[in-house]
Amino acid sequence: GAGVSQSPSNKVTEKGKDVELRCDPISGHTALYWYRQRLGQGLEFLIYFQGNSAPDKSGLPSDRFSAERTGESVSTLTIQRTQQEDSAVYLCASSLSGTALSYEQYFGPGTRLTVT
Amino acid sequence: GNSVTQMEGPVTLSEEAFLTINCTYTATGYPSLFWYVQYPGEGLQLLLKATKADDKGSNKGFEATYRKETTSFHLEKGSVQVSDSAVYFCALRSNDYKLSFGAGTTVTVRA
């Protein structure tokens, strides 16, 4: 079946503009995660959704970052007033549930954000 | 908190060489351990995993053994191919849902 999809694949924006990044999880997956991968670094956890609620937003780096999820489907990560340090690849993942460690997280291809 | 430290790259090898990528971790509780791989132009994929001490994960000729006594999960492959060129990430998951990743190791295999 279809995997996790993300759009856009690439986004170049000017400093100070707002951007929205979209994630379509695998159908039936109740858990959704956003991670960030800066150049040469590992992935950093940003936020976790179980259904449409976000029990853990602890990884969001500032109040310029927000995310929402519609039901158990699409999620949008919004970055307001972008800064150059926001440049990274933003990865979305989904799993059947977030409550069991055995469930694998499946990753999307990512959105490469460049802030000029 | 949880953390993962893996061998820095880049690593360049010839085909049929032996590959080892070291990974050590710090975690609370009893973590599950993972190796993810990112091939050029592709998304992150799970390569193998181990969920308890002394478990060995294996896939595509790669192996890693969960060593609780040394808090390690080193990745090995006995004979690499050009198609194994990729970035490899060690990760753990402990008592919750989020994965903690190492910085990644870039491996290039030359024919």
Side-chain angles (χ1 to χ4, degrees):
Chain A
V4 178
S5 61
Q6 294 185 244
S7 61
S9 55
N10 280 286
K11 176 72 176 179
V12 180
T13 190
E14 292 180 354
K15 178 181 171 181
K17 301 283 189 184
D18 297 353
V19 295
E20 284 190 353
L21 312 179
R22 177 187 168 109
C23 172
D24 283 89
I26 293 172
S27 177
H29 281 192
T30 64
L32 187 146
Y33 317 80
W34 283 97
Y35 294 86
R36 178 171 71 174
Q37 184 180 16
R38 290 176 165 170
L39 188 64
Q41 298 183 24
L43 280 72
E44 307 168 66
F45 168 80
L46 297 179
I47 187 170
Y48 156 63
F49 286 93
Q50 181 61 43
N52 63 0
S53 65
D56 188 347
K57 305 178 183 179
S58 63
L60 294 178
S62 75
D63 59 8
R64 296 186 296 104
F65 287 72
S66 63
E68 62 179 21
R69 187 178 184 197
T70 307
E72 294 183 352
S73 185
V74 172
S75 175
T76 302
L77 177 69
T78 301
I79 309 173
Q80 295 179 309
R81 305 181 303 280
T82 52
Q83 304 294 314
Q84 288 184 330
E85 63 263 26
D86 300 334
S87 296
V89 176
Y90 290 82
L91 288 160
C92 176
S94 70
S95 66
L96 275 171
S97 169
T99 56
L101 296 183
S102 59
Y103 288 134
E104 180 181 343
Q105 293 184 21
Y106 293 84
F107 284 81
T111 294
R112 182 176 298 278
L113 175 66
T114 304
V115 181
T116 61
Chain B
N2 298 335
S3 68
V4 176
T5 302
Q6 66 180 98
M7 189 173 84
E8 290 187 18
V11 174
T12 302
L13 302 164
S14 297
E15 259 192 326
E16 300 183 4
F18 185 86
L19 171 67
T20 299
I21 305 175
N22 289 340
C23 172
T24 57
Y25 67 90
T26 303
T28 55
Y30 302 94
S32 293
L33 302 174
F34 306 85
W35 277 100
Y36 280 82
V37 59
Q38 190 170 32
Y39 297 105
E42 298 185 17
L44 207 60
Q45 304 172 24
L46 179 65
L47 180 60
L48 54 85
K49 68 179 182 182
T51 58
K52 61 183 187 296
D54 300 325
D55 269 2
K56 178 185 284 188
S58 61
N59 187 25
K60 299 183 179 180
F62 289 89
E63 292 184 340
T65 301
Y66 188 143
R67 301 285 189 202
K68 188 171 172 61
E69 63 276 13
T70 54
T71 62
S72 65
F73 192 55
H74 305 321
L75 182 69
E76 297 182 336
K77 185 172 184 180
S79 177
V80 293
Q81 305 299 313
V82 172
S83 57
D84 294 324
S85 298
V87 183
Y88 293 83
F89 293 92
C90 186
L92 72 83
R93 197 175 178 195
S94 176
N95 297 333
D96 62 17
Y97 34 78
K98 52 188 165 184
L99 289 162
S100 298
F101 285 85
T105 303
T106 300
V107 174
T108 302
V109 181
R110 300 193 188 282

